[in-house]
Amino acid sequence: MLSCMVKKPSLATRCKVLGALAVVAVVSMATSAGSAGAVTQSKTVSFSASFSGKASLLINNSTVTISSIAGSGKNSLFGSSKVAGNGSAPKSSSSLCDPFGGKGSISAGASKITFVVVRSSSQQGCSSGESGAVTISFHGVTKATGGTGKGNGATGSLKFKGSLKLGGTSGSESGSFTVSLSGKLTVKG
């Protein structure tokens, strides 16, 4: 991780964008359940996933808005899936690392898992610089908040980590991301 002692608003904005991307990645992992089953008993399953895709952000002086995160990949519960989400991060003028939060989902066919990343110091994105092309490294924990199909009633926490590459640190930016998730989920059926 990079030092978080830089006092530049553009870096803070990038960190927020990274945070938002991390939230989307977490959403992907948390929502990777398959189709619905006839059983209504709950079961706890180990879960792992990896996704890659594109994130679109709006970086301004006080906030980073993650307008969309879209990607595809695989997970251990039902195979190929898509991830989607959005989020935000407040601007920090004193750090290269910023907390972020957001909402997202992982889906495949009729199965879907929804999740949330609550903004806290546990969910951070850290930028490699203050201007120009940057790489944002992010990590945190996401919580499953429900689902359908194989993800029916999903609950649990998943750890995530990943990176986002951006061409700049202000205005509208789009970049590629990768993220991996792991943990345990409890699903019904």
Side-chain angles (χ1 to χ4, degrees), residues 29-43:
M29 186 171 169
T31 61
S32 62
S35 62
V39 179
T40 58
Q41 290 184 334
S42 295
K43 63 181 177 179

Side-chain angles (χ1 to χ4, degrees), residues 26-67:
V26 173
V27 170
S28 298
M29 186 171 169
T31 61
S32 62
S35 62
V39 179
T40 58
Q41 290 184 334
S42 295
K43 63 181 177 179
T44 300
V45 296
S46 293
F47 183 88
S48 62
S50 60
F51 295 91
S52 62
K54 181 179 176 182
S56 297
L57 310 131
L58 178 58
I59 305 167
N60 68 32
N61 290 333
S62 62
T63 304
V64 174
T65 300
I66 303 148
S67 51

